[in-house]
Amino acid sequence: MIADALKMAVGTLTTVRVPAPSVIDRRVAGGAMVLAPPAVLPLAAVASVIVYLGELVGLPPFASAALALGAVALGSRGLHLDGLADTADGLGASYDRARALEVMRRGDSGPTGIATLVLVLLVQVGALTGAISAGHGVAAAAIAVVAGRGVLSLCCARGVPSARPEGLGATVAGSVPVWTAAVVFAVLAGAAALVFPWRQGLIAVALGYLAASALLARCVQRLGGVTGDVLGGCVEVAVTGILVGLSF
């Protein structure tokens, strides 16, 4: 089960080619959400290397930050950014649940989604620029990528419903025990506390989780639960919160 869960996590969250899982059921799907942080370690490594090389050759911090985050977006097929834009469009489209879900299903981005995407990316790049200037950009890039995916277990914890009867959200919604999601948070926060001054590391991961929790709560209220787009949106706002916490 663990091997299938890891294959599903890597295959879904990255462009790394892995064999298809032998079976995909709720146990495997839940395991994939729990294993999301280690599954994206290759993306974290790429982002960190780009920041390191940028510092080595004297590249402006803003350029290094943009290239690192761009590489992560390419390495994840833009999956989470697309989810963020679709979620913003859905939440901004109508107070009617069915209408909002229909807007999200279309896949094209409207003005609300595009504006949200631009603003979030600007904050992410600006925050990582701050971390690079503060001398810990390499570690900040890695922690943000890994811990940002940790919120997937929170979004798929027991009690969080699916907004639709089909799709990725229906497969993973409620598939992770609450205690497991809490352990994932504790491990990620602990790792950040070891890498950075402990208070800053804890606050940064907590800030990312709080941002994702706020979006999750809004989506459950307005849409009736989670979808694949909501999961992607929560990842992006979590990454943003973590980078802001590590930007000084």
Side-chain angles (χ1 to χ4, degrees), residues 26 151-164 168-178 181 212-213 215-221 223-227 230-231 234:
R26 284 186 63 78
V151 300
L152 288 173
S153 58
L154 168 70
C155 297
C156 299
R158 299 272 166 80
V160 179
S162 172
R164 298 191 184 103
L168 177 62
T171 303
V172 299
S175 62
V176 179
V178 173
S213 296
L215 178 58
L216 176 63
R218 180 61 174 161
C219 290
V220 170
Q221 178 191 40
L223 306 175
V226 297
T227 67
V230 171
L231 297 179
C234 286

Side-chain angles (χ1 to χ4, degrees), residues 86-162:
D86 287 346
T87 300
D89 279 333
L91 292 176
S94 170
Y95 281 100
D96 179 73
R97 173 178 175 273
R99 168 67 175 164
L101 289 172
E102 178 58 31
V103 168
M104 292 170 66
R105 191 193 296 271
R106 290 177 188 169
D108 55 339
S109 295
T112 303
I114 292 173
T116 300
L117 208 56
V118 170
L119 289 172
V120 167
L121 286 172
L122 281 173
V123 174
Q124 287 184 0
V125 173
L128 183 53
T129 299
I132 294 171
S133 299
H136 51 251
V138 172
I143 289 292
V145 171
V146 173
R149 274 65 180 175
V151 300
L152 288 173
S153 58
L154 168 70
C155 297
C156 299
R158 299 272 166 80
V160 179
S162 172

